Amino acid sequence: MTASAVLLKDYRAPAFLIDQVELRFELGETGTRVSSRLQLRRQDSAIDALHLHGEQLELLGLTLDDKPLPAHRYQVTADTLTLFDPPAQFTLGVETLIHPELNTALEGLYKSSGNFCTQCEPEGFRKITYYLDRPDVMARFTTTVVAERERYPMLLSNGNPVERGELADGRHWVRWEDPFPKPSYLFALVAGDLGCVRDQFVTRSGRTVALEIYTEHDKVDQCAHAMASLKKAMRWDEERFGLEYDLDIYMIVAVSDFNMGAMENKGLNVFNTKFVLARPDTATDADFLGIESVIAHEYFHNWTGNRVTCRDWFQLSLKEGLTVFRDQEFSADMNSAAVARIDDVRNLRALQFPQDAGPLAHPVRPESYIEINNFYTVTVYEKGAEVVRMYQTLLGREGFRKGMDLYFQRHDGQAVTCEDFCAAMADANGRDLSQFMRWYRQAGTPTLKARGEYDAAQRRYTLHLAQSCPPTPEAADKEPFLIPVAVGLLDRDGSELPLRLSDETAATGARVLELTQAEQSFVFEDVPAAPVPSLLRGFSAPVKLVCDYSDEELLFLAAHDSDTFNRWEAAQQLGVRAVLQLLAVRAEGHAWSLPSTLAELFARLLADDSTDPALLEQMLTLPSEAYLAEQMAVIDVDGLFAAREFLRKGLALHHRAAFNALVERLAVHGAYSLDGEAIGRRALRNRCLDYLASLESALVHTMLSRQLESADNMTEQLAAITLIAHGEHPARLAALESFYTRWQREALVVDKWFTLQATSKRADTLKHVCTLLQHPAFNLRNPNKVRALVGAFCNNNAVRFHAADGSGYAFLVERIVELDPLNPQIAARLLGALTRWRQYDAGRQALMRGALERILDLRGLSPDVFEIASKALAG
């Protein structure tokens, strides 16, 4: 196929605007009639035609100012409705017929599991009716939903319910009015027979807001945590940013068939069940924390995305990166700030850094796209959040708040750009941030090189910093970024040294240096002895830090740094060095032995009873295979897996007694608790069990069986069944079958069951995954099931997916062939596993390239998959 790109430089303001929209939906089992009345006005007098977007629509009627429009006044194509020479201001009536019951792509209005639901971001509204389906056209919506009462007692849409009634034929209707202008991507409709959990929230100004969470009737007992999370998010946003909710009602609907995690439609958020439903026996600690974060994220969009939205889709990070940052800050305040930051950075490094280094690298604000669905990426979201965090690092929390206040003051009710956000930050703080905009325009992960130099005679420490950024598809040469580098200097006792730069008169504590040139040096005076630098504290910029620390200095930082992120980072770097050292030793033909530095690190950590258990668990976790792969010019899949497993087993043997003692000491007695200390204790205990499980001893097998049988919570159950399934436990198959039998009616637990099997490193995993495709619980049309089984295998099981015979690649091609006609979005996301083919050895390169070529040869290939495959091959 051929597909043309949409370019940022081609943006033009809309020639027409829509002020008011009246929608009427008559929902049916074999078709739905949609009537719309659009109040339009011309904005550009030079344009003599109105082009409306529309896809997969059957046009039933068209009126202009309530009069039928003659056929010669309009033209319909596969994706547009064009009106010729419309007046300067008019009302357009459009009636269409659509088929939600046949919509497997889950875009626009679709029917699934007996309910009607919408997903309109980014361009799904055009599959509902003809419209100016672009984010810079903001209108006030009134929506009337009509359906059979018995089948669909709940009729929901955006805004506030203003009227309802009954019809003689057994149908009923509800009219919703949204008083705030919004783009069409924020439209939502849900109709079904759903249970509801109700609560309320009193805002700081004294208004009472009704809160409602809808889900299947037998799942309402799993909504309490989501409701509590929503109320915490509403209060936090008032206290932290002064932002109050603006409607009379806030609704969440949890659906099982959904392409995304959740969607922030104004007043009616549609969520994947994964991010709403939770009970201690069905959801892990990570699930509870994830729900809290995503509930907050979508609520925070009410201001950063809804009240102020994007001018065009190139500005997507304006709402997503900003809102991810806000939910990260919320999570840090609600839970362990140290662990929250570590999790953020681990995710960034495992997912976004590889994207920045591959053929799909793109700036936080892309310059072009073929299919906008493909730019809902970790670069837009997670790197975008790091860019927003850098504003706060540079300006301070108070300065950042001033910038946010000015942003809302200037742009409430508008569709704006990344430049507008930057200007608000700059103007509110009297700063020139023009160089900072390079973070939006330039792709790639910068490398930050640091070198320290101490002059004992002058009591002077000089920190030399240099930045560079590798070429990426959009540009070979990069201009220097403005990089905030948070630093501290430690004396040999681990105490923080006061810092005074050469042009300063008074010393202060740790500070943020601003690197603006390719190379700069910062001179600190009155330094009594050679310090150990603590660099990039809190991961103050999304860069790769290169500093020639000795092993002893890393051990020192892991033990003494007051910055908890850098304590963890020092432990991670020792783990990276240990793995790479083993690979070098093997290349020289020598036998492996446990690196003494890593053994010493673990001895210190395991003897430490003063560190927060949640942080200690993070420090005891070896670097992931994904992060380790980023340290290699050519990824050695088998070598990385073998070296990491050697270290896991070697550390378990070396510290068996300490691991066993911690397992016993951390055993939880009493009822399940979700407080931070309990979460940390469970995490640390399960980490110790993970090491001990590598020994495959009868004692550990017994410990795992007991935990699986006696645990009153899914966190401990899932840890046990995963270690049983991944190892040589004698009851492995029976345990897997028993686990499924127990939880087969809980779809989200079944998803975990699929994933733990798909991520097993056992040699027969692919064969087993292929068998699971035929399991009654698997459904190719359900995105959660596809992600849980196929996605987990291809993205989270490197050693088996990248099997040297190419069987993993062939498996993925088969799934793309099946999925692309059903759901192109999900198919395209799966294809990401093949995009970095150039980073592997010659044999795997040829196999991966061949898989991509086979995909491109498919007839009727969607733009979603075509864009990913073609860019991967060209990169």
Side-chain angles (χ1 to χ4, degrees):
M1 69 165 293
T2 57
S4 58
V6 180
L7 306 178
L8 172 59
K9 66 182 181 63
D10 291 341
Y11 171 82
R12 298 292 182 273
F16 290 82
L17 295 177
I18 303 175
D19 295 317
Q20 296 283 345
V21 180
E22 295 180 24
L23 294 170
R24 180 182 176 89
F25 289 80
E26 298 189 18
L27 304 176
E29 302 308 300
T30 58
T32 289
R33 297 174 76 96
V34 182
S35 301
S36 69
R37 286 176 58 83
L38 314 179
Q39 294 184 16
L40 294 110
R41 57 187 167 89
R42 189 191 300 269
Q43 185 172 242
D44 186 344
S45 59
I47 303 297
D48 59 3
L50 168 64
H51 302 283
L52 300 176
H53 304 101
E55 295 179 8
Q56 301 169 24
L57 305 174
E58 181 181 345
L59 181 62
L60 301 179
L62 197 60
T63 63
L64 194 152
D65 291 334
D66 296 320
K67 296 179 181 179
L69 199 64
H72 70 274
R73 294 284 307 279
Y74 68 92
Q75 181 181 49
V76 178
T77 68
D79 55 9
T80 60
L81 167 63
T82 300
L83 272 64
F84 303 117
D85 195 25
Q89 191 166 335
F90 60 100
T91 299
L92 181 69
V94 183
E95 187 170 355
T96 58
L97 179 67
I98 58 176
H99 291 278
E101 71 277 6
L102 304 178
N103 184 353
T104 62
L106 311 184
E107 292 180 293
L109 178 64
Y110 62 92
K111 191 176 182 186
S112 180
S113 302
N115 301 313
F116 286 93
C117 184
T118 55
Q119 173 54 38
C120 292
E121 185 179 358
E123 295 177 341
F125 193 76
R126 64 189 60 187
K127 296 183 178 181
I128 293 174
T129 188
Y130 290 102
Y131 198 80
L132 287 172
D133 190 13
R134 47 189 289 172
D136 56 354
V137 174
M138 302 176 71
R140 289 179 173 84
F141 281 67
T142 299
T143 305
T144 302
V145 187
V146 184
E148 182 183 339
R149 169 176 279 284
E150 185 176 352
R151 289 190 182 186
Y152 310 104
M154 302 297 181
L155 304 178
L156 311 176
S157 192
N158 308 92
N160 299 315
V162 293
E163 195 175 1
R164 63 183 67 235
E166 304 285 337
L167 298 176
D169 58 1
R171 295 185 300 163
H172 68 135
W173 57 272
V174 180
R175 180 169 295 122
W176 295 82
E177 186 175 280
D178 187 349
F180 297 98
K182 66 173 179 287
S184 55
Y185 82 83
L186 291 172
F187 173 79
L189 180 155
V190 173
D193 185 2
L194 301 166
C196 182
V197 175
R198 292 180 170 86
D199 205 331
Q200 63 182 32
F201 178 82
V202 179
T203 69
R204 62 178 183 165
S205 66
R207 291 189 309 107
T208 298
V209 178
L211 308 179
E212 299 179 350
I213 299 181
Y214 293 86
T215 188
E216 298 171 40
H217 288 282
D218 63 346
K219 296 293 189 291
V220 293
D221 64 329
Q222 299 184 38
C223 295
H225 177 68
M227 183 65 81
S229 299
L230 174 59
K231 295 173 76 172
K232 286 195 290 186
M234 295 177 81
R235 182 64 65 205
W236 182 88
D237 214 19
E238 289 185 345
E239 294 172 352
R240 175 70 185 274
F241 289 107
L243 300 174
E244 183 177 317
Y245 187 62
D246 50 9
L247 291 172
D248 299 332
I249 186 170
Y250 187 90
M251 298 170 289
I252 290 172
V253 180
V255 297
S256 57
D257 295 294
F258 202 62
N259 284 338
M260 300 184 178
M263 178 60 209
E264 71 269 17
N265 320 296
K266 183 71 177 182
L268 176 58
N269 289 186
V270 179
F271 271 66
N272 192 314
T273 51
K274 176 179 174 63
F275 294 109
V276 173
L277 305 181
R279 273 194 332 247
D281 62 326
T282 61
T284 64
D285 294 341
D287 292 329
F288 276 100
L289 295 177
I291 288 168
E292 183 180 71
S293 173
V294 176
I295 290 281
H297 179 98
E298 304 309 329
Y299 173 75
F300 296 155
H301 265 311
N302 188 63
W303 281 91
T304 50
N306 296 4
R307 289 286 290 260
V308 184
T309 195
C310 303
R311 186 197 71 178
D312 54 72
W313 289 122
F314 296 102
Q315 320 295 330
L316 181 59
S317 193
L318 178 67
K319 74 180 184 76
E320 294 301 348
L322 175 56
T323 306
V324 169
F325 167 75
R326 278 162 39 77
D327 81 54
Q328 289 176 351
E329 290 286 277
F330 168 77
S331 295
D333 285 349
M334 296 299 108
N335 305 287
S336 167
V339 173
R341 187 60 183 143
I342 290 167
D343 284 340
D344 294 340
V345 176
R346 180 185 281 116
N347 185 48
L348 185 82
R349 286 173 167 173
L351 300 174
Q352 197 281 320
F353 277 20
Q355 185 172 84
D356 251 354
L360 300 185
H362 61 84
V364 168
R365 182 173 62 187
E367 297 291 327
S368 68
Y369 63 82
I370 293 175
E371 172 51 63
I372 184 55
N373 284 319
N374 289 333
F375 273 109
Y376 284 74
T377 66
V378 285
T379 296
V380 167
Y381 280 67
E382 273 69 31
K383 186 173 182 178
E386 294 299 320
V387 170
V388 175
R389 184 177 297 276
M390 285 189 287
Y391 281 114
Q392 180 169 273
T393 301
L394 290 165
L395 303 174
R397 180 172 288 205
E398 183 179 342
F400 184 78
R401 169 64 190 271
K402 287 167 59 180
M404 289 286 283
D405 289 347
L406 182 58
Y407 177 64
F408 295 125
Q409 178 186 327
R410 285 178 172 176
H411 301 298
D412 188 12
Q414 298 179 12
V416 298
T417 67
C418 297
E419 281 87 355
D420 293 319
F421 185 77
C422 185
M425 288 290 159
D427 294 348
N429 290 276
R431 287 287 307 266
D432 178 2
L433 293 174
S434 55
Q435 183 180 1
F436 190 81
M437 283 300 300
R438 293 173 187 170
W439 283 105
Y440 291 98
R441 296 194 297 264
Q442 298 184 149
T445 304
T447 295
L448 174 66
K449 292 184 178 180
R451 179 175 59 85
E453 183 180 2
Y454 181 67
D455 184 335
Q458 299 294 322
R459 290 167 52 92
R460 178 179 295 152
Y461 180 78
T462 303
L463 180 63
H464 303 284
L465 299 177
Q467 61 167 300
S468 61
C469 191
T472 50
E474 101 292 351
D477 298 320
K478 308 294 174 66
E479 297 178 289
F481 294 87
L482 167 52
I483 302 178
V485 184
V487 302
L489 299 180
L490 306 182
D491 66 18
R492 291 298 165 176
D493 294 325
S495 300
E496 296 270 344
L497 291 169
L499 304 182
R500 182 174 70 84
L501 289 169
S502 56
D503 60 349
E504 296 174 341
T505 58
T508 60
R511 69 192 38 236
V512 176
L513 305 177
E514 295 187 15
L515 178 64
T516 59
Q517 303 171 24
E519 297 183 16
Q520 279 176 260
S521 296
F522 299 86
V523 180
F524 296 94
E525 304 289 357
D526 300 324
V527 180
V532 177
S534 173
L535 304 174
L536 208 67
R537 286 184 153 186
F539 200 66
S540 58
V543 302
K544 296 179 179 179
L545 175 64
V546 177
C547 183
D548 191 21
Y549 285 116
S550 67
D551 286 355
E552 290 71 25
E553 287 175 321
L554 289 175
L555 280 170
F556 176 85
L557 290 171
H560 298 292
D561 202 329
S562 62
D563 184 77
T564 50
F565 175 84
N566 274 4
R567 285 187 64 195
W568 170 79
E569 175 69 353
Q572 284 286 288
Q573 293 310 312
L574 286 170
V576 169
R577 289 185 182 186
V579 170
L580 297 182
Q581 177 185 333
L582 291 180
L583 295 180
V585 165
R586 186 181 69 170
E588 295 173 358
H590 301 304
W592 281 350
S593 61
L594 183 65
S596 59
T597 305
L598 196 63
E600 182 180 349
L601 170 69
F602 271 59
R604 295 183 184 183
L605 292 174
L606 290 167
D608 181 1
D609 58 3
S610 63
T611 298
D612 170 26
L615 177 59
L616 190 57
E617 186 272 334
Q618 297 276 2
M619 296 183 72
L620 286 168
T621 303
L622 291 170
S624 69
E625 289 176 67
Y627 182 56
L628 289 165
E630 290 305 297
Q631 317 308 312
M632 307 188 74
V634 177
I635 299 173
D636 182 355
V637 177
D638 299 313
L640 285 177
F641 170 70
R644 194 177 184 277
E645 286 300 294
F646 177 85
L647 292 178
R648 176 173 167 248
K649 186 172 183 178
L651 289 165
L653 281 169
H654 200 77
H655 299 293
R656 183 188 302 202
F659 281 124
N660 273 315
L662 265 179
V663 169
E664 292 300 318
R665 180 165 66 84
L666 294 167
V668 177
H669 304 288
Y672 174 86
S673 171
L674 195 59
D675 67 83
E677 182 180 356
I679 290 174
R681 289 172 66 89
R682 282 190 291 270
L684 181 55
R685 187 174 191 272
N686 287 333
R687 178 59 57 200
C688 294
L689 279 173
D690 177 75
Y691 280 101
L692 292 171
S694 69
L695 303 180
E696 297 291 358
S697 70
L699 176 61
V700 177
H701 289 164
T702 300
M703 293 168 64
L704 294 175
S705 295
R706 287 176 179 169
Q707 177 162 313
L708 180 61
E709 294 166 4
S710 64
D712 67 347
N713 63 85
M714 184 52 65
T715 302
E716 293 178 323
Q717 277 195 55
L718 188 65
I721 187 62
T722 299
L723 293 173
I724 288 171
H726 288 195
E728 300 299 331
H729 195 289
R732 186 177 69 86
L733 295 178
L736 281 169
E737 186 61 29
S738 175
F739 186 87
Y740 173 74
T741 300
R742 178 179 181 183
W743 296 112
Q744 60 185 305
R745 297 187 186 280
E746 294 289 342
L748 296 177
V749 180
V750 173
D751 290 346
K752 301 178 195 302
W753 183 74
F754 280 131
T755 294
L756 71 89
Q757 294 173 86
T759 53
S760 169
K761 304 305 191 290
R762 294 173 59 88
D764 62 350
T765 295
L766 177 55
K767 180 180 178 181
H768 190 54
V769 168
C770 290
T771 301
L772 288 172
L773 289 174
Q774 307 306 316
H775 194 279
F778 182 77
N779 181 358
L780 194 69
R781 293 172 182 253
N782 179 270
N784 281 359
K785 293 292 181 285
V786 174
R787 285 186 283 255
L789 184 61
V790 181
F793 175 75
C794 297
N795 293 308
N796 300 321
N797 196 345
V799 72
R800 298 306 169 206
F801 174 67
H802 291 288
D805 63 359
S807 54
Y809 311 145
F811 168 81
L812 179 54
V813 171
E814 292 172 6
R815 304 292 78 75
I816 298 296
V817 170
E818 295 172 333
L819 267 170
D820 192 43
L822 297 172
N823 193 324
Q825 280 191 51
I826 301 301
R829 289 171 192 170
L830 288 177
L831 191 53
L834 290 175
T835 57
R836 297 194 65 206
W837 59 276
R838 294 182 187 273
Q839 271 65 51
Y840 293 86
D841 58 81
R844 287 182 172 88
Q845 279 193 33
L847 291 166
M848 295 172 81
R849 184 175 64 245
L852 289 165
E853 289 169 345
R854 288 196 298 277
I855 289 169
L856 279 178
D857 286 340
L858 295 173
R859 289 187 176 181
L861 194 63
S862 69
D864 308 61
V865 172
F866 170 80
E867 180 174 30
I868 300 296
S870 59
K871 285 185 175 180
L873 280 173

